Amino acid sequence: MKYRLLAGGSALVMAATLSACSSSSDSAGEAGGATTVDVWLMRDSVSAEFQKEFTEGFEAQHPKIKVKIQVQEWDGIGQKITAALASNDAPDVIETGNTHIAQYAQSGGLLDLSDKTDELNGKDWLKGLAEPGAYEGKQYGIPYYAANRVVIYRTDLFEAAGVDATAIKTREQWTDATTKLNKDKTQGIYLPGQMWYALGGFIWDEGGDFATESDGKWKGALDTPEALRGMEFYARLQALGKGPKDADEADPPQADVMAKGDVAQVISAPGGANVVIEKNPALKGKLGFFPIPGKTADKPGAVFTGGSDLVIPAAAGHPDEALTFIKELTGDAWQKKLAVAMSYVPNRTTLASAVADDPGAAAMAVGAANGHATPNSPGWAAVEAENPIKDYMTAVLTGGDAAKEAAKASEDIARAMNAGS
């Protein structure tokens, strides 16, 4: 799953003059004997400026390798990648959403990079990028960049209520502060009833998950005691605002709701703050960020890690050069530059300091240390397609029996995952 609302402002649009893709066979020969690496990057994953800087820097460092990039659209990318992997004319490097790799690896169309993890600093990779990049014990996806949700809050409303955001380190402190903020016309928090990624964080904090696997079969896990405790906390937090119980954060867009001026907090990627300010310029300078609190003060709340990995198709014409490209783009120097340029979380925990001067990205980086991914199975795509988790959440929030509704949703998750795996 790829966030469309990332940190660092509204979406940066690639220049229309970016290179079109040509096949590996067409690009093998270059003047001076250089080899061209064909790369697919996704729309808005980097700015045109960063792409230009990286390409020029890479080619200067590796004069025998040229880089040709085609920017891909997220709509329909799954089918396009599947077709490319099944062909004999695939690009050399593909950027893909971190939760999609199992689906592509299952087809046999990706190169196994397990023996390259040490030289790519795999020991420090963010868990939420590294784990979904692996399938059946083999590493296919190399973590590229990450983004996750934080709390965006109104600094003026917090100050007026006597709430110190820097002191909020635990769930109980969070709900106490939110209760204090929730008075008069102010909503302590705007939390729609179907923000299932936020629910996932609370479930992971309790030691649960959406689904578990045993002997090749998946079982939905929303009806476990751990997951039920996560839903119980979600319901308690959601009740401290006026968010709809039957919609997610996109309906209505929660940035639009916060821009109206009476919402003290939302859970969002930091880029949501820029959308709020675009809608209501009077809020400029009045928005802050802190990591989603955990159960205890010594550990931030669990978050879903969105972002991308880089893969090499098995049919790539230049796998060695592709690996060199990936090694540079995911290495220390360019990861730090990428994080600053795009307000991303770097792919490794040891590089978190690169975004220390960006409040939103810094809050993301703290949460990313406790990042998680959805169940690593090709069948998870089928769960997201019908999404029984949303229906379950609405049912509970509107008075349904949590255990019964969780059991029903767990059956739906198991059916979808086992059919698609």
Side-chain angles (χ1 to χ4, degrees):
M1 176 63 64
K2 177 68 169 64
Y3 288 130
R4 299 313 317 129
L5 186 61
L6 292 170
S10 56
L12 294 168
V13 180
M14 295 289 189
T17 56
L18 291 174
S19 302
C21 179
S22 61
S23 68
S24 297
S25 60
D26 290 339
S27 60
E30 291 282 342
T35 297
T36 297
V37 175
D38 290 323
V39 179
W40 287 5
L41 294 182
M42 299 309 302
R43 175 73 62 187
D44 303 329
S45 70
V46 296
S47 65
E49 292 78 10
F50 178 86
Q51 179 186 306
K52 182 176 184 292
E53 182 184 3
F54 172 78
T55 300
E56 291 177 351
F58 177 87
E59 292 181 347
Q61 187 71 24
H62 303 278
K64 293 295 185 181
I65 305 176
K66 299 295 182 182
V67 176
K68 180 173 280 189
I69 292 173
Q70 180 183 5
V71 177
Q72 302 292 326
E73 303 294 338
W74 285 102
D75 289 345
I77 189 60
Q79 296 90 329
K80 189 168 185 177
I81 292 178
T82 298
L85 297 181
S87 74
N88 294 319
D89 193 27
D92 298 300
V93 178
I94 298 175
E95 174 191 347
T96 179
N98 59 321
T99 62
H100 298 166
I101 295 172
Q103 178 183 357
Y104 303 139
Q106 184 187 43
S107 71
L110 299 182
L111 198 64
D112 178 9
L113 301 174
S114 301
D115 62 342
K116 308 298 182 183
T117 58
D118 287 343
E119 65 180 279
L120 295 170
N121 300 297
K123 66 180 183 301
D124 297 324
W125 284 340
L126 293 176
K127 180 180 177 183
L129 292 179
E131 287 188 351
Y135 179 64
E136 294 186 340
K138 297 179 180 179
Q139 192 72 37
Y140 295 96
I142 305 304
Y144 177 20
Y145 66 84
N148 50 264
R149 289 168 174 82
V150 300
V151 179
I152 301 176
Y153 73 97
R154 284 277 302 276
T155 56
D156 56 333
L157 295 180
F158 269 57
E159 182 178 356
V163 176
D164 180 4
T166 64
I168 300 175
K169 303 297 183 183
T170 69
R171 281 189 190 174
E172 290 306 312
Q173 292 170 342
W174 190 20
T175 54
D176 287 347
T178 303
T179 300
K180 192 174 183 180
L181 289 156
N182 191 29
K183 62 181 181 180
D184 299 327
K185 295 182 179 180
T186 299
Q187 294 186 61
I189 189 169
Y190 177 82
L191 180 61
Q194 296 183 345
M195 189 185 283
W196 64 280
Y197 287 121
L199 171 64
F202 303 146
I203 290 174
W204 290 320
D205 276 340
E206 297 289 350
D209 209 334
F210 290 115
T212 58
E213 186 267 340
S214 179
D215 297 327
K217 289 291 184 181
W218 285 93
K219 180 180 180 181
L222 290 178
D223 54 346
T224 63
E226 295 84 0
L228 287 169
R229 288 198 298 270
M231 184 64 218
E232 181 182 7
F233 178 77
Y234 188 101
R236 183 152 59 99
L237 185 65
Q238 201 269 341
L240 296 177
K242 301 175 183 177
K245 301 181 188 302
D246 59 351
D248 63 18
E249 61 270 32
D251 184 22
Q254 65 175 0
D256 291 0
V257 177
M258 192 176 198
K260 293 179 180 178
D262 61 354
V263 171
Q265 305 171 84
V266 294
I267 298 172
S268 170
N274 297 286
V275 180
V276 172
I277 293 168
E278 288 173 4
K279 300 288 184 180
N280 184 355
L283 295 181
K284 185 175 182 179
K286 297 180 180 179
L287 299 179
F289 312 87
F290 59 86
I292 294 174
K295 292 188 69 176
T296 58
D298 60 335
K299 189 175 184 180
V303 291
F304 168 73
T305 302
S308 288
D309 282 29
L310 299 172
V311 299
I312 300 177
H318 310 106
D320 292 339
E321 290 82 0
L323 183 64
T324 299
F325 176 93
I326 290 175
K327 188 174 182 179
E328 289 286 353
L329 188 53
T330 63
D332 283 15
W334 288 106
Q335 277 291 298
K336 291 177 181 178
K337 291 181 179 180
L338 179 66
V340 172
M342 301 299 295
S343 294
Y344 288 151
V345 176
N347 64 359
R348 297 196 299 286
T349 57
T350 51
L351 300 179
S353 61
V355 293
D357 294 332
D358 183 324
M364 273 203 303
V366 172
N370 192 15
H372 293 251
T374 50
N376 192 8
S377 165
W380 184 254
V383 176
E384 289 193 4
E386 64 178 82
N387 214 325
I389 305 168
K390 288 186 174 184
D391 294 336
Y392 157 65
M393 296 174 73
T394 293
V396 174
L397 294 174
T398 54
D401 182 271
K404 290 181 179 179
E405 295 295 341
K408 178 183 176 182
S410 293
E411 290 178 2
D412 291 337
I413 289 173
R415 173 183 48 76
M417 292 191 73
N418 290 319
S421 298

